[in-house]
Amino acid sequence: MELDLFIRYGPSLLSGFAVTILCWIVGSLGGLVLGFFLACLYRFGPAPLKWFIFGYVEVIRGTPFMIQLFILYYGGPSVGILLSPVQAGIISFIVYGSPYFAEIFRSGFNAIPEGQIEAARCVGLSETRIVTRIVLPQMLVPITAPLTNFFIILTKETAILSVVTVPELLYETQTMASETFTFVEPFLVLSIFYWLMVIGTSRLGAIVETRVTGHLRRN
């Protein structure tokens, strides 16, 4: 392994890693929030809205992420949507992730006994208070593992952003490899970076699950 290559390209690789983290965190959290609202609207909203959300989820889940990214980045200008590569990457991540997160939250909602929700309505609780005080505390444990798994999937999906010239980790690694004609070392380091991201996400998910479980047991 030629260490001088990594000394020379180290700043570029670290910059790409920072962009990867930015797109992953902002895009994933945005998708998580949007997915939660979609699940709430699907669970408690009117029928026409439920059909719209159902269609949105089916279309996004049924098409590859790369195609969605191409449509937004290359097709956006034709309808007046001009985005930088990073902006297109983040928005695509939010759109792509939200249906999956919505389905995870929907499964959590369905795990709550319907009798508890009906009883809360009978005593006059609003739908918002039902979600925040009854549904959410009980659904957090069963959905923590699926949420963690999908966050891990999204860490690896960031590599696709390089196809629209987002200067993330894979893009910088490919640049290094093409300029130096070395391929094993750059992509080995790339694998290590992604492995660290996956391990960190997995450990964080386990910590959250343990703490949520302990909190529910104490209460």
Side-chain angles (χ1 to χ4, degrees), residues 36 109 126-138:
F36 176 72
F109 285 139
S126 65
E127 299 294 342
T128 301
R129 290 176 68 85
I130 290 174
V131 172
T132 57
R133 301 193 60 179
I134 297 176
V135 176
L136 274 180
Q138 296 184 75

Side-chain angles (χ1 to χ4, degrees), residues 20 65-66 69-70 73-74 85 89 157-175 194:
T20 295
F65 174 55
M66 186 181 294
L69 181 61
F70 280 166
Y73 184 66
Y74 293 113
E157 292 287 356
T158 56
I160 297 178
L161 301 180
S162 63
V163 300
V164 293
T165 68
V166 175
E168 46 76 61
L169 189 56
L170 177 59
Y171 181 86
E172 297 295 347
T173 303
Q174 290 175 322
T175 300
Y194 278 111

